[in-house]
Structure formats: structure tokens, C-alpha cells
Amino acid sequence: MKIAFIGLGNMGGGMAANLVKAGHEVNAFDLSADARSSAESGGCDAYDDAKRACEGVDAVVTMLPNGKIVRDVYEGDVFGHAPEGAVLLDCSTIDVATAKDVIAKAEAAGYDMVDAPVSGGIAAANGGTLTFMVGGTDKAFGRAEEVLQAMGKAVIHAGDAGAGQTAKICNNMLLAITMIGTTEAMTMAEKLGLDPQKFYEISSQSSGYCWPLNAYTPMPGVGVESPADNDYKGGFATALMLKDLRLAMEAAGSVDAKTALGRHATEIYEVFAEENGGLDFSAVIKTL
Ligand code: NAD
């Protein structure tokens, strides 16, 4: 397949290279010349114009910072430049409303399009082990699946347009809440004189079982190896968690969903991110 890939940053760079490894021909575009030249080293054909990168392709994949940029790129560079009938895949994490609107405009212009945000960070993007949660029609999903499989370990059809973004922000809101809960319980256990490793052994096999405790233990030297054991470097940046929480709060407001803990988690990460946006989100334990 011939694929245009727009947005070759921390995530997109590795994803584009994995499409090449899977045998696709990739036209790569990013505003950054450095990102374009790394994509070239990964086997892509680099373009300095997004519209030209979209000419003659079967599919367009985007991995961009936010909803406004996604809208600008599709409306300015993709629609009318990618051949009618091409399948369009936006893998960025953006707000649900923009995702739905851009997909509606794509369909009106004769394209099949999905929102396909990812779970998994830079290592999963490089290793081709992302999980994609996909929103769109059955037909669009069927066409997008082959492209996504080359970049991930799981591709799940979540529902109609926007359902991928909905799944992503609900998942990450839950993750933020369980992370904060885990850090509170571990710190309180320690303050009460219980060895945190004993607490981990007990709770990870009891009803306190949860992903942050069992698979990403946020205290150095306790439980499984995680960013906590590397001074909270690497992993999933606090700034990105805050971005997702803000998207979750915006979406909650749009449907009057009650998210008291989601709101509180957002406030905690807002304060923490002021000075610690680059640290892994489990470093929120430092606030305790
Ligand atoms: P990044 O900032 O490293 O990359 C974004 C790239 O987009 C940059 O190279 C930038 O130059 C390029 N860009 C910006 N505007 C552009 C335009 N108009 N045309 C072409 N290129 C443009 O960000 P990232 O970490 O790769 O994240 C990308 C998306 O993936 C975001 O939506 C993010 O929320 C999501 N995400 C990131 C992670 C992670 O761990 N980094 C995990 C899951 C999801």
C-alpha cells in the first residue's frame, strides 16, 4: 500500500518506520526538517509539502499534537489532495467533538476515515506494539485495520466515529484515578509502619489489585520495575496525562457526566505538572 504519514514526532517517527518494515511505501511529512530526515533513515520518502505527500496514496495516517492541528491538516492538506476513496486514519489523541466533525467532513468529501488513538508510549510506537482503539463505520474500520496492524499488537473497533477518542480518555481518566489511589495507599501504609513491599505483595493479590500497583508500581524498589526505579524518567509524561485529563473533563462536561474523582485527579495533575511535566505520571507520589 502507498501511505502518507503526517506528524513524525516521538510517536509518529517509529510508527512510520514500522509501516515501511511491513512492506508499505511511505510518503513522510512533518514541519520539522530533523523529523523528516530521521524518517528518511527509517526508509520513508520524505516530502517538504504535505499536499504532495498525499498525492496518489491509498491511505493517510496522522499523528499530531492536538485537535486544532488535526483539523487544519485534514482541511488544508489532505481533503482534495489525497485521491478520493483513500482511507484516512487519525491516530492523535484529540477531543471527541473535533474527531467526529473531521470524520463527517472526510465522508462528505468521499473518504473513509477513522479516529484511532493509541495506548502505549514511545517504546510501543517504536516496537510496533501499540493498542489502537478505533472509531468509524464497519467499512472504514475494515480498510484501516491492515494499516494499523503493521504498527500495533491489538486493533479494537470501539464503535462509531469518535468512539476511539472516547475509549482513550475514559481509560486514561481511570488510570489517573487509580494511580493517585495507589500512591496514597502505598504512602499511607508506609507511614503506618507497614513495609511497602509487604503491602505490594498483599494488595497486588487482594482486592486492591490494579494496573498501577501490579504492573507499574510507583515506589522505587517496590513491586515490579517501573519508571519509579529510574527517577521517574521515561514512561508516560505527566504533561501528556494532564492533556488527556483535560480532554476527559471537556468531554464529561459536554454530556453532563458526573466525574468527581476525574475532576479531582485533573486538579492534582494540574498543580503537579507546573514543575514536573516531564516526569512520568507515577511521580505524583512525590506530592504525598
Ligand atoms: P510530538 O510533539 O513528539 O510529535 C508531533 C509532531 O507533529 C512533531 O514532530 C511536529 O513537528 C509535528 N507537527 C505539528 N504540527 C504539524 C503540522 N501542521 N504538519 C505536520 N507536522 C506537524 O508528539 P508525540 O509524543 O509524538 O504525540 C503525538 C500524538 O500522540 C499526540 O496527540 C499525543 O497525545 C499522542 N500520544 C502520545 C504518547 C506518548 O507517549 N508520547 C502516547 C499516546 C498518545
Side-chain angles (χ1 to χ4, degrees):
M1 224 187 253
K2 193 164 181 182
I3 301 171
F5 201 112
I6 303 176
L8 309 160
N10 288 320
M11 297 291 289
M15 292 164 70
N18 283 325
L19 289 175
V20 173
K21 277 187 210 148
H24 299 297
E25 205 179 311
V26 178
N27 294 352
F29 174 76
D30 193 291
L31 293 176
S32 144
D34 285 350
R36 293 198 298 269
S37 72
S38 329
E40 221 160 16
S41 333
C44 301
D45 295 320
Y47 281 71
D48 55 14
D49 180 72
K51 297 179 183 74
R52 279 207 306 113
C54 290
E55 283 169 11
V57 299
D58 306 295
V60 178
V61 181
T62 47
M63 193 56 168
L64 294 162
N66 61 48
K68 184 186 178 309
I69 294 175
V70 167
R71 179 187 293 285
D72 289 349
V73 165
Y74 278 95
E75 292 183 358
D77 298 328
V78 180
F79 299 160
H81 299 282
E84 203 176 315
V87 61
L88 314 179
L89 303 85
D90 179 38
C91 298
S92 329
T93 303
I94 67 167
D95 60 287
V96 177
T98 301
K100 286 183 178 173
D101 191 51
V102 173
I103 292 177
K105 291 197 165 101
E107 287 170 352
Y111 301 100
D112 285 319
M113 181 168 183
V114 294
D115 55 300
V118 306
S119 174
I122 300 163
N126 291 334
T129 57
L130 293 166
T131 294
F132 290 92
M133 32 209 122
V134 187
T137 62
D138 288 342
K139 176 167 170 258
F141 175 76
R143 297 185 63 201
E145 207 176 1
E146 182 192 346
V147 177
L148 296 174
Q149 260 159 0
M151 302 184 285
K153 66 170 163 45
V155 180
I156 300 159
H157 192 184
D160 294 337
Q165 300 296 349
T166 298
K168 164 91 189 180
I169 56 173
C170 291
N171 179 74
N172 280 17
M173 183 179 81
L174 175 60
L175 173 61
I177 294 168
T178 52
M179 176 56 81
I180 292 168
T182 301
T183 62
E184 285 184 3
M186 292 189 83
T187 306
M188 181 170 135
E190 189 176 40
K191 286 188 174 173
L192 287 166
L194 176 61
D195 175 4
Q197 179 63 26
K198 277 287 160 215
F199 174 71
Y200 161 80
E201 279 172 33
I202 293 162
S203 198
S204 64
Q205 302 180 73
S206 304
S207 45
Y209 172 111
C210 63
W211 190 84
L213 179 68
N214 288 52
Y216 209 85
T217 327
M219 201 179 254
V222 180
V224 297
E225 199 173 340
S226 73
D229 300 301
N230 188 30
D231 288 333
Y232 299 97
K233 295 193 192 98
F236 183 45
T238 293
L240 287 173
M241 174 53 95
L242 179 57
K243 171 192 169 179
D244 294 355
L245 284 167
R246 285 177 168 151
L247 291 173
M249 291 306 99
E250 189 182 329
S254 74
V255 291
D256 198 23
K258 302 280 179 266
T259 54
L261 291 182
R263 167 69 51 205
H264 198 176
T266 306
E267 288 161 5
I268 289 172
Y269 275 108
E270 260 163 0
V271 173
F272 186 61
E274 278 171 19
E275 302 212 330
N276 303 285
L279 293 183
D280 180 71
F281 78 114
S282 63
V284 72
I285 196 169
K286 288 171 186 272
T287 60
L288 305 174

